[in-house]
């Protein structure tokens, strides 16, 4: 569920296709996207039985530990692109504003937090050329929880 007003438009990120843009100002630490209608959650072992280009793999994100939520309906949330300098923070399926974000801001998150431990995205970061490799769960949770506390402490 995307909380603020938004639009989908051409991404400002090279080779990214479309992106999700705010249509209103959003304050630092506010929820931009919250999980809703999660009807399918699989362990990683089951997910990996499917080819990487399958609808199951393409529509999955790491939710917690080795469990993935699947959303094959392709909601507009799929237009949140990757950045190593993201505008927002992914934490346990929620996306929080990383700073005070004015209308027109493209929402990006660090995909290292939404893919499995050691998983490598099939593309590189288009700005830095770096590989995007999933963090181990403990590092993932430590990073996102610490960052979230920083966002909330500043409010």
């Amino acid at each position: 569920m995307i909380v603020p007003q938004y639009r989908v438009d051409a991404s400002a990120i090279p080779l990214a296709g479309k992106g999700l843009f705010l249509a209103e100002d959003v304050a630092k630490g506010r929820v931009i996207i919250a999980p809703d209608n999660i009807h399918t959650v699989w362990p990683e072992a089951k997910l990996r039985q499917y080819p990487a280009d399958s609808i199951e793999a393409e529509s999955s994100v790491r939710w917690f530990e080795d469990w993935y939520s699947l959303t094959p309906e392709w909601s507009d949330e799929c237009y949140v692109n990757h950045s190593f300098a993201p505008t927002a923070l992914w934490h346990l399926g929620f996306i929080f504003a990383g700073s005070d974000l004015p209308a027109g801001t493209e929402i990006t998150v660090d995909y290292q937090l939404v893919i499995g431990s050691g998983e490598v995205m099939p593309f590189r970061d288009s700005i830095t050329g770096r590989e995007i490799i999933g963090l181990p769960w403990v590092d993932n949770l430590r990073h996102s929880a610490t960052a979230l506390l920083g966002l909330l402490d500043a409010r």
Side-chain angles (χ1 to χ4, degrees), residues 9-28:
D9 209 340
S11 176
I13 300 168
L15 307 173
K18 293 182 179 180
L20 185 86
F21 294 83
L22 294 174
E24 63 182 83
D25 297 345
V26 175
K28 179 179 184 176

Side-chain angles (χ1 to χ4, degrees), residues 2 6-8 19-22 33 76 79-80 105-107:
I2 303 170
Y6 70 94
R7 73 183 196 299
V8 173
L20 185 86
F21 294 83
L22 294 174
I33 296 176
D76 286 347
Y79 295 112
V80 173
T105 300
E106 183 172 0
I107 301 305

Side-chain angles (χ1 to χ4, degrees), residues 36 84 107 122:
D36 70 335
F84 282 124
I107 301 305

Side-chain angles (χ1 to χ4, degrees), residues 42-150:
W42 283 355
E44 184 174 14
K46 181 174 180 176
L47 179 63
R48 300 300 174 221
Q49 293 173 0
Y50 292 82
D53 63 350
S54 68
I55 188 74
E56 293 82 6
E58 295 267 330
S59 69
S60 67
V61 294
R62 183 189 220 174
W63 196 359
F64 63 94
E65 296 173 347
D66 290 328
W67 293 87
Y68 291 73
S69 63
L70 282 69
T71 311
E73 296 82 19
W74 297 109
S75 68
D76 286 347
E77 296 165 14
C78 74
Y79 295 112
V80 173
N81 288 312
H82 163 78
S83 176
F84 282 124
T87 59
L89 171 68
W90 169 276
H91 179 74
L92 297 174
F94 288 83
I95 296 179
F96 297 86
S99 63
D100 289 334
L101 301 175
T105 300
E106 183 172 0
I107 301 305
T108 57
V109 297
D110 184 345
Y111 280 10
Q112 293 180 108
L113 300 173
V114 303
I115 59 178
S117 299
E119 182 179 350
V120 179
M121 291 300 294
F123 56 87
R124 290 178 175 264
D125 178 79
S126 65
I127 304 297
T128 67
R130 288 175 43 200
E131 281 190 311
I132 304 164
I133 303 170
L135 298 174
W137 172 247
V138 171
D139 295 338
N140 178 319
L141 189 58
R142 182 178 294 115
H143 171 84
S144 66
T146 301
L148 180 59
L149 285 173

